[in-house]
Amino acid sequence: CLVIWYIYMALAYHILPEPSWYPNTVGVGLSAVKTWLYYPLPGHFLMAISLSLNFFFFPISLIRVALNNKISAPVCWIQMSAPSISLYALTIMAQPSFQEDHPDVTKFQQVHRMVYLPCMHFLFILCLTGFCSSVQSLWTRWDNFKKKEFSPAHAAFCFPTLAHANAVQAYRGAIDAFSDIRPGSPFKILIYTYWVLILVGGTITTVIITAKFFYCLPTWTQINVDDEVEPPAPSETLIADVITTGETLRQNFVSPAVLQANETGVLVRDGRGRYVRTRKLTAIGFEPMMSWSEMAEERDALLDWVEKNPARRRKRTLSVPGIDFINNYKYGDFGTNNQGVYDDVETGPGGRFRRRAQTSEGHSRQVKSSVFY
């Protein structure tokens, strides 16, 4: 249900896959392994979902991270986690039976043994590709990221690295059990060395970030909002009207959803038991909080893109030209001349106007309604 809800929200905001999607989608592969131990059929079902989402999301996310520098460094580092989780789940759940234990194998089991190792090799290549993408994204964003204050978003550097080490170890186990590569070969030594480096590096990084996380935790949970003007609600932000603009594979602006979240802040409970919004927390999920100057710059870039790429206008809003819905089919008053029906319509020079809802500027705006033919 969580996966379905998350994908629905992503479609509603017209956003494209990026590494921050993985914990809520491909991450069900970890649950699949634990479920499979007790309930095999539901476990295989969850594994199929995780694997399918990995193959669907990973190529798009890989391209976006390489071409779009507006995705933050912590989010990009999660890139390596998707193929790692899929590889780890498959090495355990898709293992063929040993021939010594089951000599009377069926045709399906023979094919299973033939395709198992090639699938593991392919997923391991995807893991290496994800790791290279994560390293490249951090390298290209380092000058900007090193200026950021330590925040909860730094936790994104922990679990993907350890998940990658876990996947490499699972791959080593599959190679040792089902391949003909002899022990001590250069390939196995290389894989072992790579696994040790990732494991030691990831463990050290996790210990340091975890210790610093707990040290800063009181300042993140006990926030004084008395001296802060409460940020606007999502519907009152400056970009509320363009929140569904969407994203492209390559763009020079931050995601509208991220901009709106930065302007709105996070919901916390103050000393009087009230829930209020604040921007004093240093991160929103895996996204470090942007400064006001950064927000203004990125908002201008977004609005400039929206102005140059306006949304398509619908033509023939009744969808069936030449048919009189009112007189022939008695469907009610749809307006005349395919103009549509508007509430609270005012007439102004150059066209018809309708009132908009209250905005963050504190007044009602009027938007010119075009007449469609």
Side-chain angles (χ1 to χ4, degrees), residues 19-55:
S20 63
W21 289 33
Y22 297 153
N24 294 321
T25 53
V26 185
V28 299
L30 297 177
S31 301
V33 175
K34 305 306 179 183
T35 305
W36 171 76
L37 295 174
Y38 303 98
Y39 306 100
L41 189 58
H44 282 103
F45 176 72
L46 292 178
M47 183 191 69
I49 293 177
S50 175
L51 198 62
S52 301
L53 294 178
N54 175 37
F55 288 140

PDB file of all heavy atoms in Angstrom, residues 19-55:
ATOM      1  N   PRO A  19      16.806   8.955  -7.041  1.00  0.00           N
ATOM      2  CA  PRO A  19      17.213   8.018  -5.988  1.00  0.00           C
ATOM      3  C   PRO A  19      16.390   8.083  -4.709  1.00  0.00           C
ATOM      4  O   PRO A  19      16.304   7.073  -3.992  1.00  0.00           O
ATOM      5  CB  PRO A  19      18.670   8.421  -5.731  1.00  0.00           C
ATOM      6  CG  PRO A  19      19.145   8.972  -7.036  1.00  0.00           C
ATOM      7  CD  PRO A  19      17.961   9.686  -7.606  1.00  0.00           C
ATOM      8  N   SER A  20      15.786   9.220  -4.391  1.00  0.00           N
ATOM      9  CA  SER A  20      14.992   9.298  -3.156  1.00  0.00           C
ATOM     10  C   SER A  20      13.747   8.415  -3.202  1.00  0.00           C
ATOM     11  O   SER A  20      13.117   8.181  -2.175  1.00  0.00           O
ATOM     12  CB  SER A  20      14.583  10.755  -2.887  1.00  0.00           C
ATOM     13  OG  SER A  20      13.741  11.244  -3.914  1.00  0.00           O
ATOM     14  N   TRP A  21      13.399   7.921  -4.383  1.00  0.00           N
ATOM     15  CA  TRP A  21      12.252   7.016  -4.497  1.00  0.00           C
ATOM     16  C   TRP A  21      12.568   5.626  -3.946  1.00  0.00           C
ATOM     17  O   TRP A  21      11.660   4.899  -3.529  1.00  0.00           O
ATOM     18  CB  TRP A  21      11.845   6.862  -5.961  1.00  0.00           C
ATOM     19  CG  TRP A  21      11.201   8.041  -6.579  1.00  0.00           C
ATOM     20  CD1 TRP A  21      11.436   9.363  -6.313  1.00  0.00           C
ATOM     21  CD2 TRP A  21      10.207   8.034  -7.599  1.00  0.00           C
ATOM     22  NE1 TRP A  21      10.670  10.167  -7.099  1.00  0.00           N
ATOM     23  CE2 TRP A  21       9.903   9.385  -7.908  1.00  0.00           C
ATOM     24  CE3 TRP A  21       9.550   7.024  -8.297  1.00  0.00           C
ATOM     25  CZ2 TRP A  21       8.967   9.739  -8.875  1.00  0.00           C
ATOM     26  CZ3 TRP A  21       8.618   7.369  -9.273  1.00  0.00           C
ATOM     27  CH2 TRP A  21       8.330   8.718  -9.545  1.00  0.00           C
ATOM     28  N   TYR A  22      13.826   5.228  -3.959  1.00  0.00           N
ATOM     29  CA  TYR A  22      14.179   3.831  -3.708  1.00  0.00           C
ATOM     30  C   TYR A  22      13.776   3.300  -2.334  1.00  0.00           C
ATOM     31  O   TYR A  22      13.281   2.168  -2.244  1.00  0.00           O
ATOM     32  CB  TYR A  22      15.682   3.629  -3.920  1.00  0.00           C
ATOM     33  CG  TYR A  22      16.142   3.881  -5.331  1.00  0.00           C
ATOM     34  CD1 TYR A  22      17.446   4.279  -5.607  1.00  0.00           C
ATOM     35  CD2 TYR A  22      15.281   3.720  -6.405  1.00  0.00           C
ATOM     36  CE1 TYR A  22      17.880   4.507  -6.897  1.00  0.00           C
ATOM     37  CE2 TYR A  22      15.693   3.957  -7.707  1.00  0.00           C
ATOM     38  CZ  TYR A  22      17.001   4.346  -7.948  1.00  0.00           C
ATOM     39  OH  TYR A  22      17.419   4.576  -9.237  1.00  0.00           O
ATOM     40  N   PRO A  23      13.999   4.032  -1.227  1.00  0.00           N
ATOM     41  CA  PRO A  23      13.619   3.450   0.071  1.00  0.00           C
ATOM     42  C   PRO A  23      12.154   3.062   0.159  1.00  0.00           C
ATOM     43  O   PRO A  23      11.809   2.079   0.842  1.00  0.00           O
ATOM     44  CB  PRO A  23      13.969   4.573   1.064  1.00  0.00           C
ATOM     45  CG  PRO A  23      15.052   5.355   0.395  1.00  0.00           C
ATOM     46  CD  PRO A  23      14.695   5.328  -1.059  1.00  0.00           C
ATOM     47  N   ASN A  24      11.262   3.810  -0.509  1.00  0.00           N
ATOM     48  CA  ASN A  24       9.827   3.543  -0.421  1.00  0.00           C
ATOM     49  C   ASN A  24       9.311   2.624  -1.523  1.00  0.00           C
ATOM     50  O   ASN A  24       8.124   2.283  -1.529  1.00  0.00           O
ATOM     51  CB  ASN A  24       9.047   4.857  -0.475  1.00  0.00           C
ATOM     52  CG  ASN A  24       9.298   5.723   0.737  1.00  0.00           C
ATOM     53  OD1 ASN A  24       9.392   5.226   1.848  1.00  0.00           O
ATOM     54  ND2 ASN A  24       9.421   7.015   0.533  1.00  0.00           N
ATOM     55  N   THR A  25      10.167   2.233  -2.444  1.00  0.00           N
ATOM     56  CA  THR A  25       9.706   1.396  -3.563  1.00  0.00           C
ATOM     57  C   THR A  25      10.566   0.134  -3.679  1.00  0.00           C
ATOM     58  O   THR A  25      10.155  -0.948  -3.277  1.00  0.00           O
ATOM     59  CB  THR A  25       9.751   2.199  -4.877  1.00  0.00           C
ATOM     60  OG1 THR A  25      11.066   2.763  -5.059  1.00  0.00           O
ATOM     61  CG2 THR A  25       8.739   3.321  -4.860  1.00  0.00           C
ATOM     62  N   VAL A  26      11.775   0.284  -4.219  1.00  0.00           N
ATOM     63  CA  VAL A  26      12.656  -0.872  -4.371  1.00  0.00           C
ATOM     64  C   VAL A  26      13.031  -1.454  -3.017  1.00  0.00           C
ATOM     65  O   VAL A  26      13.337  -2.642  -2.899  1.00  0.00           O
ATOM     66  CB  VAL A  26      13.927  -0.466  -5.158  1.00  0.00           C
ATOM     67  CG1 VAL A  26      14.805  -1.682  -5.437  1.00  0.00           C
ATOM     68  CG2 VAL A  26      13.546   0.203  -6.473  1.00  0.00           C
ATOM     69  N   GLY A  27      12.985  -0.635  -1.968  1.00  0.00           N
ATOM     70  CA  GLY A  27      13.347  -1.094  -0.634  1.00  0.00           C
ATOM     71  C   GLY A  27      12.496  -2.227  -0.093  1.00  0.00           C
ATOM     72  O   GLY A  27      12.882  -2.873   0.897  1.00  0.00           O
ATOM     73  N   VAL A  28      11.350  -2.497  -0.721  1.00  0.00           N
ATOM     74  CA  VAL A  28      10.527  -3.613  -0.242  1.00  0.00           C
ATOM     75  C   VAL A  28      11.226  -4.948  -0.473  1.00  0.00           C
ATOM     76  O   VAL A  28      10.795  -5.977   0.058  1.00  0.00           O
ATOM     77  CB  VAL A  28       9.141  -3.627  -0.924  1.00  0.00           C
ATOM     78  CG1 VAL A  28       8.383  -2.355  -0.628  1.00  0.00           C
ATOM     79  CG2 VAL A  28       9.264  -3.849  -2.428  1.00  0.00           C
ATOM     80  N   GLY A  29      12.330  -4.931  -1.239  1.00  0.00           N
ATOM     81  CA  GLY A  29      13.094  -6.158  -1.428  1.00  0.00           C
ATOM     82  C   GLY A  29      13.652  -6.694  -0.128  1.00  0.00           C
ATOM     83  O   GLY A  29      13.780  -7.917   0.057  1.00  0.00           O
ATOM     84  N   LEU A  30      14.015  -5.804   0.802  1.00  0.00           N
ATOM     85  CA  LEU A  30      14.491  -6.253   2.115  1.00  0.00           C
ATOM     86  C   LEU A  30      13.368  -6.921   2.893  1.00  0.00           C
ATOM     87  O   LEU A  30      13.576  -7.939   3.566  1.00  0.00           O
ATOM     88  CB  LEU A  30      15.053  -5.065   2.895  1.00  0.00           C
ATOM     89  CG  LEU A  30      16.278  -4.376   2.282  1.00  0.00           C
ATOM     90  CD1 LEU A  30      16.681  -3.168   3.122  1.00  0.00           C
ATOM     91  CD2 LEU A  30      17.438  -5.353   2.161  1.00  0.00           C
ATOM     92  N   SER A  31      12.176  -6.357   2.809  1.00  0.00           N
ATOM     93  CA  SER A  31      11.022  -6.992   3.456  1.00  0.00           C
ATOM     94  C   SER A  31      10.696  -8.328   2.799  1.00  0.00           C
ATOM     95  O   SER A  31      10.236  -9.259   3.463  1.00  0.00           O
ATOM     96  CB  SER A  31       9.802  -6.068   3.381  1.00  0.00           C
ATOM     97  OG  SER A  31      10.068  -4.830   4.000  1.00  0.00           O
ATOM     98  N   ALA A  32      10.944  -8.413   1.485  1.00  0.00           N
ATOM     99  CA  ALA A  32      10.659  -9.658   0.768  1.00  0.00           C
ATOM    100  C   ALA A  32      11.495 -10.810   1.310  1.00  0.00           C
ATOM    101  O   ALA A  32      11.005 -11.938   1.457  1.00  0.00           O
ATOM    102  CB  ALA A  32      10.910  -9.464  -0.716  1.00  0.00           C
ATOM    103  N   VAL A  33      12.774 -10.540   1.616  1.00  0.00           N
ATOM    104  CA  VAL A  33      13.644 -11.601   2.120  1.00  0.00           C
ATOM    105  C   VAL A  33      13.141 -12.120   3.458  1.00  0.00           C
ATOM    106  O   VAL A  33      13.059 -13.337   3.685  1.00  0.00           O
ATOM    107  CB  VAL A  33      15.088 -11.086   2.246  1.00  0.00           C
ATOM    108  CG1 VAL A  33      15.979 -12.147   2.877  1.00  0.00           C
ATOM    109  CG2 VAL A  33      15.633 -10.691   0.876  1.00  0.00           C
ATOM    110  N   LYS A  34      12.796 -11.211   4.363  1.00  0.00           N
ATOM    111  CA  LYS A  34      12.324 -11.636   5.686  1.00  0.00           C
ATOM    112  C   LYS A  34      10.971 -12.330   5.590  1.00  0.00           C
ATOM    113  O   LYS A  34      10.711 -13.306   6.295  1.00  0.00           O
ATOM    114  CB  LYS A  34      12.235 -10.419   6.607  1.00  0.00           C
ATOM    115  CG  LYS A  34      13.530  -9.627   6.718  1.00  0.00           C
ATOM    116  CD  LYS A  34      14.702 -10.505   7.132  1.00  0.00           C
ATOM    117  CE  LYS A  34      15.999  -9.694   7.206  1.00  0.00           C
ATOM    118  NZ  LYS A  34      17.167 -10.558   7.538  1.00  0.00           N
ATOM    119  N   THR A  35      10.093 -11.833   4.714  1.00  0.00           N
ATOM    120  CA  THR A  35       8.780 -12.462   4.559  1.00  0.00           C
ATOM    121  C   THR A  35       8.903 -13.852   3.951  1.00  0.00           C
ATOM    122  O   THR A  35       8.187 -14.785   4.330  1.00  0.00           O
ATOM    123  CB  THR A  35       7.875 -11.583   3.681  1.00  0.00           C
ATOM    124  OG1 THR A  35       7.810 -10.257   4.231  1.00  0.00           O
ATOM    125  CG2 THR A  35       6.481 -12.156   3.584  1.00  0.00           C
ATOM    126  N   TRP A  36       9.828 -13.992   3.006  1.00  0.00           N
ATOM    127  CA  TRP A  36      10.016 -15.261   2.293  1.00  0.00           C
ATOM    128  C   TRP A  36      10.419 -16.388   3.243  1.00  0.00           C
ATOM    129  O   TRP A  36      10.089 -17.554   3.007  1.00  0.00           O
ATOM    130  CB  TRP A  36      11.057 -15.053   1.208  1.00  0.00           C
ATOM    131  CG  TRP A  36      11.512 -16.303   0.529  1.00  0.00           C
ATOM    132  CD1 TRP A  36      10.839 -17.023  -0.405  1.00  0.00           C
ATOM    133  CD2 TRP A  36      12.764 -16.974   0.736  1.00  0.00           C
ATOM    134  NE1 TRP A  36      11.582 -18.104  -0.806  1.00  0.00           N
ATOM    135  CE2 TRP A  36      12.775 -18.092  -0.119  1.00  0.00           C
ATOM    136  CE3 TRP A  36      13.864 -16.737   1.540  1.00  0.00           C
ATOM    137  CZ2 TRP A  36      13.847 -18.972  -0.187  1.00  0.00           C
ATOM    138  CZ3 TRP A  36      14.943 -17.608   1.477  1.00  0.00           C
ATOM    139  CH2 TRP A  36      14.925 -18.710   0.629  1.00  0.00           C
ATOM    140  N   LEU A  37      11.130 -16.060   4.309  1.00  0.00           N
ATOM    141  CA  LEU A  37      11.567 -17.089   5.250  1.00  0.00           C
ATOM    142  C   LEU A  37      10.387 -17.788   5.919  1.00  0.00           C
ATOM    143  O   LEU A  37      10.473 -18.968   6.281  1.00  0.00           O
ATOM    144  CB  LEU A  37      12.476 -16.467   6.312  1.00  0.00           C
ATOM    145  CG  LEU A  37      13.813 -15.911   5.807  1.00  0.00           C
ATOM    146  CD1 LEU A  37      14.554 -15.202   6.934  1.00  0.00           C
ATOM    147  CD2 LEU A  37      14.676 -17.016   5.207  1.00  0.00           C
ATOM    148  N   TYR A  38       9.273 -17.082   6.090  1.00  0.00           N
ATOM    149  CA  TYR A  38       8.105 -17.635   6.776  1.00  0.00           C
ATOM    150  C   TYR A  38       6.927 -17.875   5.834  1.00  0.00           C
ATOM    151  O   TYR A  38       6.165 -18.831   6.016  1.00  0.00           O
ATOM    152  CB  TYR A  38       7.679 -16.704   7.910  1.00  0.00           C
ATOM    153  CG  TYR A  38       8.782 -16.430   8.913  1.00  0.00           C
ATOM    154  CD1 TYR A  38       9.555 -15.273   8.835  1.00  0.00           C
ATOM    155  CD2 TYR A  38       9.062 -17.341   9.931  1.00  0.00           C
ATOM    156  CE1 TYR A  38      10.571 -15.024   9.750  1.00  0.00           C
ATOM    157  CE2 TYR A  38      10.075 -17.101  10.853  1.00  0.00           C
ATOM    158  CZ  TYR A  38      10.836 -15.936  10.753  1.00  0.00           C
ATOM    159  OH  TYR A  38      11.840 -15.695  11.652  1.00  0.00           O
ATOM    160  N   TYR A  39       6.781 -16.979   4.851  1.00  0.00           N
ATOM    161  CA  TYR A  39       5.665 -17.084   3.902  1.00  0.00           C
ATOM    162  C   TYR A  39       6.232 -16.939   2.489  1.00  0.00           C
ATOM    163  O   TYR A  39       6.366 -15.816   1.971  1.00  0.00           O
ATOM    164  CB  TYR A  39       4.608 -16.010   4.171  1.00  0.00           C
ATOM    165  CG  TYR A  39       4.108 -16.001   5.591  1.00  0.00           C
ATOM    166  CD1 TYR A  39       4.594 -15.083   6.519  1.00  0.00           C
ATOM    167  CD2 TYR A  39       3.142 -16.930   6.018  1.00  0.00           C
ATOM    168  CE1 TYR A  39       4.139 -15.074   7.823  1.00  0.00           C
ATOM    169  CE2 TYR A  39       2.681 -16.929   7.326  1.00  0.00           C
ATOM    170  CZ  TYR A  39       3.192 -15.995   8.222  1.00  0.00           C
ATOM    171  OH  TYR A  39       2.745 -15.991   9.520  1.00  0.00           O
ATOM    172  N   PRO A  40       6.603 -18.038   1.840  1.00  0.00           N
ATOM    173  CA  PRO A  40       7.312 -17.970   0.555  1.00  0.00           C
ATOM    174  C   PRO A  40       6.562 -17.219  -0.542  1.00  0.00           C
ATOM    175  O   PRO A  40       7.158 -16.412  -1.261  1.00  0.00           O
ATOM    176  CB  PRO A  40       7.508 -19.447   0.190  1.00  0.00           C
ATOM    177  CG  PRO A  40       7.483 -20.166   1.502  1.00  0.00           C
ATOM    178  CD  PRO A  40       6.488 -19.414   2.344  1.00  0.00           C
ATOM    179  N   LEU A  41       5.256 -17.479  -0.684  1.00  0.00           N
ATOM    180  CA  LEU A  41       4.521 -16.865  -1.789  1.00  0.00           C
ATOM    181  C   LEU A  41       4.449 -15.341  -1.664  1.00  0.00           C
ATOM    182  O   LEU A  41       4.776 -14.628  -2.624  1.00  0.00           O
ATOM    183  CB  LEU A  41       3.121 -17.466  -1.886  1.00  0.00           C
ATOM    184  CG  LEU A  41       2.311 -17.068  -3.132  1.00  0.00           C
ATOM    185  CD1 LEU A  41       3.059 -17.472  -4.396  1.00  0.00           C
ATOM    186  CD2 LEU A  41       0.925 -17.719  -3.101  1.00  0.00           C
ATOM    187  N   PRO A  42       4.030 -14.772  -0.522  1.00  0.00           N
ATOM    188  CA  PRO A  42       4.079 -13.305  -0.398  1.00  0.00           C
ATOM    189  C   PRO A  42       5.486 -12.745  -0.541  1.00  0.00           C
ATOM    190  O   PRO A  42       5.674 -11.648  -1.074  1.00  0.00           O
ATOM    191  CB  PRO A  42       3.516 -13.055   1.009  1.00  0.00           C
ATOM    192  CG  PRO A  42       2.693 -14.257   1.326  1.00  0.00           C
ATOM    193  CD  PRO A  42       3.392 -15.391   0.655  1.00  0.00           C
ATOM    194  N   GLY A  43       6.488 -13.508  -0.091  1.00  0.00           N
ATOM    195  CA  GLY A  43       7.865 -13.050  -0.241  1.00  0.00           C
ATOM    196  C   GLY A  43       8.278 -12.936  -1.693  1.00  0.00           C
ATOM    197  O   GLY A  43       8.908 -11.954  -2.099  1.00  0.00           O
ATOM    198  N   HIS A  44       7.903 -13.930  -2.504  1.00  0.00           N
ATOM    199  CA  HIS A  44       8.212 -13.857  -3.936  1.00  0.00           C
ATOM    200  C   HIS A  44       7.449 -12.719  -4.605  1.00  0.00           C
ATOM    201  O   HIS A  44       7.964 -12.084  -5.542  1.00  0.00           O
ATOM    202  CB  HIS A  44       7.879 -15.186  -4.608  1.00  0.00           C
ATOM    203  CG  HIS A  44       8.903 -16.248  -4.368  1.00  0.00           C
ATOM    204  ND1 HIS A  44       8.715 -17.276  -3.470  1.00  0.00           N
ATOM    205  CD2 HIS A  44      10.142 -16.439  -4.893  1.00  0.00           C
ATOM    206  CE1 HIS A  44       9.781 -18.069  -3.473  1.00  0.00           C
ATOM    207  NE2 HIS A  44      10.661 -17.575  -4.324  1.00  0.00           N
ATOM    208  N   PHE A  45       6.236 -12.467  -4.150  1.00  0.00           N
ATOM    209  CA  PHE A  45       5.455 -11.361  -4.719  1.00  0.00           C
ATOM    210  C   PHE A  45       6.139 -10.017  -4.441  1.00  0.00           C
ATOM    211  O   PHE A  45       6.261  -9.177  -5.347  1.00  0.00           O
ATOM    212  CB  PHE A  45       4.051 -11.379  -4.128  1.00  0.00           C
ATOM    213  CG  PHE A  45       3.181 -10.231  -4.581  1.00  0.00           C
ATOM    214  CD1 PHE A  45       2.693 -10.172  -5.875  1.00  0.00           C
ATOM    215  CD2 PHE A  45       2.864  -9.207  -3.699  1.00  0.00           C
ATOM    216  CE1 PHE A  45       1.900  -9.116  -6.289  1.00  0.00           C
ATOM    217  CE2 PHE A  45       2.075  -8.151  -4.107  1.00  0.00           C
ATOM    218  CZ  PHE A  45       1.594  -8.095  -5.409  1.00  0.00           C
ATOM    219  N   LEU A  46       6.608  -9.814  -3.214  1.00  0.00           N
ATOM    220  CA  LEU A  46       7.305  -8.572  -2.887  1.00  0.00           C
ATOM    221  C   LEU A  46       8.617  -8.455  -3.650  1.00  0.00           C
ATOM    222  O   LEU A  46       9.014  -7.368  -4.071  1.00  0.00           O
ATOM    223  CB  LEU A  46       7.559  -8.499  -1.381  1.00  0.00           C
ATOM    224  CG  LEU A  46       6.328  -8.334  -0.484  1.00  0.00           C
ATOM    225  CD1 LEU A  46       6.740  -8.336   0.988  1.00  0.00           C
ATOM    226  CD2 LEU A  46       5.591  -7.040  -0.823  1.00  0.00           C
ATOM    227  N   MET A  47       9.301  -9.591  -3.830  1.00  0.00           N
ATOM    228  CA  MET A  47      10.542  -9.561  -4.592  1.00  0.00           C
ATOM    229  C   MET A  47      10.287  -9.171  -6.044  1.00  0.00           C
ATOM    230  O   MET A  47      11.071  -8.418  -6.645  1.00  0.00           O
ATOM    231  CB  MET A  47      11.228 -10.923  -4.542  1.00  0.00           C
ATOM    232  CG  MET A  47      12.578 -10.943  -5.253  1.00  0.00           C
ATOM    233  SD  MET A  47      13.262 -12.594  -5.473  1.00  0.00           S
ATOM    234  CE  MET A  47      12.134 -13.291  -6.688  1.00  0.00           C
ATOM    235  N   ALA A  48       9.197  -9.674  -6.618  1.00  0.00           N
ATOM    236  CA  ALA A  48       8.860  -9.320  -7.999  1.00  0.00           C
ATOM    237  C   ALA A  48       8.576  -7.821  -8.122  1.00  0.00           C
ATOM    238  O   ALA A  48       8.984  -7.180  -9.098  1.00  0.00           O
ATOM    239  CB  ALA A  48       7.658 -10.136  -8.468  1.00  0.00           C
ATOM    240  N   ILE A  49       7.892  -7.251  -7.128  1.00  0.00           N
ATOM    241  CA  ILE A  49       7.629  -5.807  -7.140  1.00  0.00           C
ATOM    242  C   ILE A  49       8.941  -5.032  -7.059  1.00  0.00           C
ATOM    243  O   ILE A  49       9.180  -4.087  -7.829  1.00  0.00           O
ATOM    244  CB  ILE A  49       6.713  -5.423  -5.964  1.00  0.00           C
ATOM    245  CG1 ILE A  49       5.324  -6.024  -6.159  1.00  0.00           C
ATOM    246  CG2 ILE A  49       6.616  -3.907  -5.821  1.00  0.00           C
ATOM    247  CD1 ILE A  49       4.376  -5.749  -5.007  1.00  0.00           C
ATOM    248  N   SER A  50       9.819  -5.420  -6.143  1.00  0.00           N
ATOM    249  CA  SER A  50      11.098  -4.729  -5.974  1.00  0.00           C
ATOM    250  C   SER A  50      11.933  -4.801  -7.248  1.00  0.00           C
ATOM    251  O   SER A  50      12.498  -3.796  -7.687  1.00  0.00           O
ATOM    252  CB  SER A  50      11.863  -5.344  -4.799  1.00  0.00           C
ATOM    253  OG  SER A  50      13.154  -4.782  -4.678  1.00  0.00           O
ATOM    254  N   LEU A  51      11.995  -5.972  -7.846  1.00  0.00           N
ATOM    255  CA  LEU A  51      12.806  -6.142  -9.052  1.00  0.00           C
ATOM    256  C   LEU A  51      12.238  -5.354 -10.226  1.00  0.00           C
ATOM    257  O   LEU A  51      12.979  -4.723 -10.993  1.00  0.00           O
ATOM    258  CB  LEU A  51      12.890  -7.626  -9.396  1.00  0.00           C
ATOM    259  CG  LEU A  51      14.008  -8.056 -10.352  1.00  0.00           C
ATOM    260  CD1 LEU A  51      15.360  -7.744  -9.747  1.00  0.00           C
ATOM    261  CD2 LEU A  51      13.891  -9.542 -10.660  1.00  0.00           C
ATOM    262  N   SER A  52      10.918  -5.363 -10.367  1.00  0.00           N
ATOM    263  CA  SER A  52      10.282  -4.632 -11.466  1.00  0.00           C
ATOM    264  C   SER A  52      10.504  -3.129 -11.326  1.00  0.00           C
ATOM    265  O   SER A  52      10.836  -2.442 -12.306  1.00  0.00           O
ATOM    266  CB  SER A  52       8.785  -4.944 -11.504  1.00  0.00           C
ATOM    267  OG  SER A  52       8.549  -6.328 -11.667  1.00  0.00           O
ATOM    268  N   LEU A  53      10.328  -2.601 -10.110  1.00  0.00           N
ATOM    269  CA  LEU A  53      10.533  -1.178  -9.891  1.00  0.00           C
ATOM    270  C   LEU A  53      11.985  -0.795 -10.097  1.00  0.00           C
ATOM    271  O   LEU A  53      12.292   0.310 -10.582  1.00  0.00           O
ATOM    272  CB  LEU A  53      10.073  -0.793  -8.487  1.00  0.00           C
ATOM    273  CG  LEU A  53       8.569  -0.933  -8.219  1.00  0.00           C
ATOM    274  CD1 LEU A  53       8.250  -0.568  -6.773  1.00  0.00           C
ATOM    275  CD2 LEU A  53       7.753  -0.066  -9.171  1.00  0.00           C
ATOM    276  N   ASN A  54      12.892  -1.681  -9.747  1.00  0.00           N
ATOM    277  CA  ASN A  54      14.314  -1.396  -9.966  1.00  0.00           C
ATOM    278  C   ASN A  54      14.617  -1.238 -11.446  1.00  0.00           C
ATOM    279  O   ASN A  54      15.264  -0.275 -11.866  1.00  0.00           O
ATOM    280  CB  ASN A  54      15.157  -2.519  -9.362  1.00  0.00           C
ATOM    281  CG  ASN A  54      16.640  -2.359  -9.654  1.00  0.00           C
ATOM    282  OD1 ASN A  54      17.171  -1.255  -9.668  1.00  0.00           O
ATOM    283  ND2 ASN A  54      17.311  -3.463  -9.911  1.00  0.00           N
ATOM    284  N   PHE A  55      14.154  -2.178 -12.257  1.00  0.00           N
ATOM    285  CA  PHE A  55      14.413  -2.106 -13.695  1.00  0.00           C
ATOM    286  C   PHE A  55      13.710  -0.924 -14.350  1.00  0.00           C
ATOM    287  O   PHE A  55      14.175  -0.419 -15.379  1.00  0.00           O
ATOM    288  CB  PHE A  55      13.981  -3.417 -14.368  1.00  0.00           C
ATOM    289  CG  PHE A  55      14.878  -4.569 -14.063  1.00  0.00           C
ATOM    290  CD1 PHE A  55      14.355  -5.832 -13.822  1.00  0.00           C
ATOM    291  CD2 PHE A  55      16.255  -4.416 -14.000  1.00  0.00           C
ATOM    292  CE1 PHE A  55      15.186  -6.905 -13.529  1.00  0.00           C
ATOM    293  CE2 PHE A  55      17.090  -5.474 -13.714  1.00  0.00           C
ATOM    294  CZ  PHE A  55      16.558  -6.723 -13.480  1.00  0.00           C
TER     295      PHE A  55
END
